[in-house]
């Protein structure tokens, strides 16, 4: 009896130590803000002509059903996201009356795969179970906004 209680105590203690010792990922900076727009052509002049930012690239990301336009703002990028299909998550989000900042992307220094394992162990709901290729060939993964204070969160690495 005493032996099994002691074993139970040891296991519980070990599991508390393991959970509390999960390392913290290293975020270097906000990589980009994703901004949902119905039309890049109509939205871009605000960012270029009014804010004076430079649009340095556009890209279609087929599997996400979006066209993107990238602007540099210091170390942070702005990623304009235009839906290319009614089935696009961006179109669905716009159709619900939302617009503007759609997600925040953090640059992870020590690997998105490691970060996913870590946040999952901490109870965060994952959208992507493993990293995949996103715009600009970055390794990316999304976390569900219901687990992240309502902010659709992207983890990415160069
Ligand atoms: N920010 C905050 N909350 C959001 C959100 C967003 N961008 N998009 C959806 N939600 C919320 C909805 O408001 C809804 O909340 P309520 O239930 O309170 O109304 C909830 O999430 C819906 O969740 P769901 O039913 O699980 O999923 P949806 O079908 O609405 O899809 C999401 C939401 C986040 C899972 C989906 O958009 C997704 O997988 N996103 C990741 C991929 C992506 O965004 N790709 C486009 C960008 C690609 C790129 O950058 O290249």
């Amino acid at each position: 009896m005493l032996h099994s209680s002691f074993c139970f105590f040891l296991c519980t203690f070990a599991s508390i130590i393991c959970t509390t010792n999960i390392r913290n990922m290293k975020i270097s900076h906000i990589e980009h803000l994703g901004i949902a727009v119905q039309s890049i052509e109509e939205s871009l002049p605000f960012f270029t002509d009014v804010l004076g930012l430079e649009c340095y690239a556009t890209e279609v990301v087929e599997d996400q059903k979006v066209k993107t336009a990238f602007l540099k703002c210091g170390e942070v990028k702005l990623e304009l996201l235009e839906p290319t299909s009614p089935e696009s998550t961006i179109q669905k989000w716009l159709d619900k009356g939302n617009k503007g900042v759609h997600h925040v992307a953090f640059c992870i220094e020590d690997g998105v795969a490691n970060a996913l394992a870590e946040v999952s162990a901490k109870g965060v709901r994952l959208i992507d179970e493993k990293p995949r290729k996103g715009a600009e060939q970055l390794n990316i993964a999304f976390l569900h906004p219901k687990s992240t204070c309502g902010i659709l969160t992207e983890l990415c690495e160069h």
Side-chain angles (χ1 to χ4, degrees):
M1 177 64 183
L2 188 62
H3 179 257
S4 64
S5 300
F6 184 65
C7 285
F8 176 74
F9 167 77
L10 268 187
C11 290
T12 310
F13 185 68
S15 103
I16 289 169
I17 294 286
C18 287
T19 345
T20 50
N21 269 355
I22 292 172
R23 60 183 252 308
N24 283 322
M25 70 178 96
K26 291 192 177 61
I27 293 176
S28 58
H29 62 286
I30 289 179
E31 212 280 337
H32 66 265
L33 298 177
I35 297 171
V37 297
Q38 195 61 67
S39 159
I40 286 178
E41 189 185 356
E42 286 173 18
S43 311
L44 202 53
F46 168 70
F47 295 94
T48 53
D49 303 350
V50 179
L51 297 184
L53 302 174
E54 183 196 352
C55 174
Y56 67 90
T58 59
E59 180 181 341
V60 173
V61 185
E62 298 285 356
D63 71 328
Q64 293 297 300
K65 301 183 175 66
V66 289
K67 179 180 174 189
T68 64
F70 283 98
L71 302 108
K72 258 300 193 173
C73 183
E75 196 175 1
V76 180
K77 295 180 227 160
L78 302 184
E79 178 189 34
L80 303 190
L81 294 154
E82 174 189 305
T84 55
S85 150
E87 299 310 311
S88 165
T89 56
I90 297 297
Q91 187 61 64
K92 289 180 182 165
W93 194 71
L94 290 168
D95 288 346
K96 284 185 183 167
N98 304 298
K99 58 182 168 182
V101 176
H102 174 261
H103 65 264
V104 178
F106 295 96
C107 190
I108 307 294
E109 281 187 344
D110 48 353
V112 171
N114 292 334
L116 283 178
E118 178 188 334
V119 298
S120 178
K122 289 177 175 173
V124 173
R125 181 171 158 194
L126 309 182
I127 292 175
D128 299 299
E129 298 285 335
K130 54 184 184 176
R132 59 183 170 82
K133 288 289 176 197
E136 298 192 308
Q137 287 303 300
L138 299 184
N139 285 332
I140 65 155
F142 280 92
L143 311 181
H144 200 283
K146 290 290 179 194
S147 292
T148 55
C149 302
I151 301 165
L152 177 56
T153 300
E154 181 179 345
L155 307 178
C156 55
E157 67 184 323
H158 287 268

